[in-house]
Amino acid sequence: MTDIAMIEAAAARLAGHARRTPLLSSPFLDEIAGRRVLVKAECLQHTGSFKFRGAWSAVSALDPARRARGVIAYSSGNHAQGVALAAARHGAPAVIVMPADAPRLKIENTRALGAEVVLYDRATEDRDAIGLRLSEERGLTLIRPFDEPLVIAGQGTTGLEIAAQAADEGVTQADVLTCCGGGGLTAGIALALEAHAPGLRARPAEPEGFDDTARSLAAGAIRRNAALTGSICDAIVTPEPGQITFPILARLCGPGLAVSDEEALEAMALAFLRLKIVLEPGGAVALAAALFRPEAIAGDAVICVASGGNVDPPVFARALARFPD
């Protein structure tokens, strides 16, 4: 199981390879939220999302001979790109299983990073089964997107940075909202905060209708989404929390939050206008929750992770259309 020692070891391996992303703020966002809003801009990480952290953590920890045989991952796009880049920088081949309806930008970027992309229908095919079959047939090491201790450890380095940056800002008590799919980022951040900033509490944010983590936390047991498609927030639409991540979330996280697709799009537009950063819908749900669910958040400050910025131009244009000239 992932622990703080693994997260700190991952941070050492990531040193000089991952970016230390900034903690941004805007008085305009503070006014909307009714409190201070601090935004951890992981959209500025390599490959445009926090996923590079977990990918590098896992790939860099492999035995060199095993790594040379290659790695495989399944992802809607952000984990795909993170693994592709981490593998390329280690001189290892990578195969990525991606849903055919993933944003074209993510598919093209993954191929451009040197990975072989295998497409599947997320409504009728099982990506886990495809990944397992290919890993066995080709002798590849499977790097799961969230239910993998080394991946969780890499994502937890985001939490180490948040703990230090929040302290620099004088924030010692606050909710830390995370864009949550399978829970790897949320679990890693929660573990890091437990050790280094116990006054900060991780809380998952999800799209409405795909809030399996929030419902699972409320029930005290894993609950599954009824559908696997239907939200614009493709990056964080997963069937259910992970078997490894959920016990961490259940122990350390506060209640989950859910926002609509339209609120995610509005948060994207506000992030661009006020922070000058580009977010994808799934990477904007934590900011949307901070802005549009103020009654569910306590305290004078809230921290939210802007987890990814890999958005196709038409979707970004749709977000910006909320603020016409």
Side-chain angles (χ1 to χ4, degrees):
M1 295 295 290
T2 307
D3 57 19
I4 191 59
M6 286 181 65
I7 294 172
E8 291 171 346
R13 293 196 304 279
L14 279 157
H17 302 287
R19 294 172 178 152
R20 188 178 192 268
T21 56
L23 197 64
L24 305 176
S25 62
S26 163
F28 299 99
L29 299 184
D30 295 350
E31 183 177 0
I32 294 171
R35 57 174 52 85
R36 191 177 181 192
V37 178
L38 298 171
V39 180
K40 179 66 168 167
E42 278 296 292
C43 52
L44 302 178
Q45 189 54 260
H46 296 303
T47 69
S49 88
F50 73 95
K51 289 287 192 176
F52 176 77
R53 297 176 184 266
W56 186 275
S57 172
V59 173
S60 64
L62 289 175
D63 174 81
R66 184 179 179 190
R67 184 168 59 225
R69 289 195 293 271
V71 298
I72 185 170
Y74 41 77
S75 165
S76 65
N78 288 334
H79 182 60
Q81 293 171 84
V83 171
L85 180 58
R89 290 189 175 178
H90 283 89
V95 177
I96 311 295
V97 180
M98 300 183 69
D101 63 347
R104 187 173 65 178
L105 177 68
K106 294 181 179 181
I107 295 173
E108 291 176 349
N109 284 353
T110 303
R111 286 179 172 143
L113 290 167
E116 175 190 346
V117 174
V118 176
L119 299 177
Y120 76 99
D121 184 334
R122 77 165 93 203
T124 62
E125 296 182 281
D126 183 345
R127 69 179 188 177
D128 298 74
I130 295 170
L132 182 61
R133 174 176 58 80
L134 290 175
S135 67
E136 291 175 347
E137 290 175 356
R138 304 193 192 183
L140 305 171
T141 297
L142 178 60
I143 299 178
R144 292 178 174 84
F146 52 84
D147 235 14
E148 162 53 57
L150 286 167
V151 169
I152 297 170
Q155 320 306 25
T157 64
T158 314
L160 297 180
E161 294 178 15
I162 289 172
Q165 291 168 317
D168 290 343
E169 294 286 341
V171 177
T172 58
Q173 300 284 331
D175 283 342
V176 178
L177 311 187
T178 63
C179 305
C180 187
L185 176 66
T186 309
I189 287 176
L191 288 167
L193 297 180
E194 177 188 33
H196 290 278
L200 304 182
R201 177 180 65 161
R203 294 183 64 185
E206 300 168 284
E208 290 178 348
F210 300 88
D211 58 343
D212 49 292
T213 298
R215 290 184 289 106
S216 297
L217 289 173
I222 290 177
R223 295 291 184 261
R224 188 177 178 87
N225 285 323
L228 298 179
T229 61
S231 171
I232 197 172
C233 303
D234 64 282
I236 57 172
V237 172
T238 52
E240 62 189 23
Q243 296 294 323
I244 296 175
T245 59
F246 182 68
I248 300 170
L249 306 183
R251 183 172 69 85
L252 295 176
C253 287
L257 300 158
V259 300
S260 69
D261 283 1
E262 292 302 311
E263 289 169 328
L265 288 166
E266 186 165 354
M268 290 168 60
L270 288 167
F272 177 73
L273 290 171
R274 302 308 187 187
L275 301 175
K276 310 309 176 189
I277 58 175
V278 173
L279 299 183
E280 62 191 279
V285 296
L287 176 58
L291 297 177
F292 307 128
R293 298 292 181 273
E295 73 287 346
I297 301 166
D300 297 328
V302 62
I303 300 169
C304 46
V305 181
S307 59
N310 292 307
V311 57
D312 280 344
V315 176
F316 194 57
R318 178 179 164 190
L320 295 186
R322 280 155 174 68
F323 296 90
D325 292 338

